[in-house]
Amino acid sequence: MDARQMKINAAQAALGHVEDGMRLGIGTGSTAEEFVRLLAEKVAGGLRVEGVPTSERTARLCVELGVPLKSLDELPELDLTIDGADEVDGQLCLIKGGGGALLREKIVASASARMLVIADESKLVETLGAFALPIEVNPFGQASTRIAIEKTASRLGLTGELKLRQSGDGIFTTDGGHYIFDASFGRIPDAEALSRELNAIPGVVEHGLFINMAALAIIAGPAGARTLQAKK
Ligand SMILES: O=C(CO)[C@H](O)[C@H](O)COP(=O)(O)O
């Protein structure tokens, strides 16, 4: 079974958690897009939902496929967010932001009663950190913010390259107009401490560690999709 089919299978299983009338946060990335395609079929069949997209890219796909959208200001409290991830550990802590949408993804997930992650099994890891951690920063003073991140990481025993994300010929900018450093720290034994310390750096807008946010993860592999539940 190829990776796309596993993403479709995870997205299909996630649809089982969507109920008529729900206010849905809709994630970003290739797995979330499979979910949008399946959701659009259900909407065409009569399912009533209102979605809040986590990126302009997701918004465009939803509009194209006829999934009704609202802004987060119109729907500030959501029932369920369904989103992909770059890494998922056994406690359902995540690295997100490979698609550059981590800030809106985190705001939308925080506004939701539940967050459900959909992923193929290549995303499941024992310890977060093989995937470079996206850190969204304000363009103002980004060189100083880089130094502050490096010093903070080093205090926690983490070293590695911080790469300013590029797009085409220029610097990648997020939907919010920020930059992203992809930090290759390697394994992150204490993701909670790193999250806390990064949040304390003024130029850091947000980072891709999602700690204690996901309630469920649907992980699809060749043998089928299984659901992991966060420990309370
Ligand atoms: O965090 C994200 C976007 O910011 C995505 O959820 C993450 O990058 C996974 O994407 P994909 O489903 O394409 O592997």
Side-chain angles (χ1 to χ4, degrees):
M1 188 186 294
D2 66 12
R4 167 140 197 243
Q5 190 55 52
M6 287 191 259
K7 292 174 191 189
I8 294 171
N9 291 352
Q12 182 73 54
L15 259 190
H17 293 261
V18 176
E19 293 166 20
D20 197 52
M22 268 189 168
R23 300 159 298 175
L24 284 182
I26 305 179
T28 296
S30 57
T31 317
E33 284 174 8
E34 298 300 350
F35 172 74
V36 172
R37 289 188 190 95
L38 295 169
L39 180 67
E41 286 172 17
K42 289 278 180 195
V43 167
L47 179 78
R48 288 163 308 158
V49 291
E50 292 180 303
V52 173
T54 53
S55 64
E56 301 300 329
R57 170 178 154 187
T58 295
R60 279 194 294 276
L61 184 65
C62 288
V63 168
E64 190 186 310
L65 299 180
V67 174
L69 293 183
K70 285 269 164 51
S71 71
L72 191 57
D73 288 333
E74 290 170 304
L75 284 186
E77 292 182 307
L78 304 174
D79 299 299
L80 176 67
T81 281
I82 295 178
D83 200 349
D86 299 300
E87 281 188 348
V88 183
D89 77 8
Q91 281 72 51
L92 306 196
C93 293
L94 316 171
I95 287 183
K96 285 187 53 56
L102 63 115
L103 175 61
R104 291 192 187 181
E105 289 172 334
K106 203 177 264 190
I107 293 172
V108 168
S110 303
S112 305
R114 280 188 310 152
M115 179 189 192
L116 166 52
V117 174
I118 47 178
D120 65 85
E121 66 179 14
S122 70
K123 308 290 183 66
L124 200 54
V125 297
E126 206 155 294
T127 308
L128 298 176
F131 190 90
L133 176 66
I135 304 174
E136 186 161 344
V137 300
N138 196 299
F140 179 83
Q142 52 96 6
S144 307
T145 304
R146 172 199 286 269
I147 293 170
I149 294 169
E150 284 167 346
K151 284 185 178 164
T152 293
S154 154
R155 272 203 312 278
L156 295 171
L158 299 169
T159 52
E161 198 191 353
L162 260 66
K163 260 198 198 149
L164 187 59
R165 194 180 293 187
Q166 304 292 311
S167 166
D169 284 344
I171 299 173
F172 173 85
T173 49
T174 66
D175 286 343
H178 306 126
Y179 294 167
I180 289 184
F181 286 123
D182 289 302
S184 302
F185 292 139
R187 284 160 44 96
I188 304 169
D190 191 346
E192 213 165 329
L194 179 61
S195 167
R196 212 172 32 243
E197 296 290 327
L198 289 174
N199 284 336
I201 299 173
V204 170
V205 177
E206 197 42 88
H207 57 74
L209 289 168
F210 283 49
I211 314 278
N212 299 329
M213 293 189 74
L216 292 174
I218 296 177
I219 306 291
R226 63 200 162 107
T227 302
L228 308 180
Q229 201 155 3
K231 293 183 188 78
K232 296 236 166 90

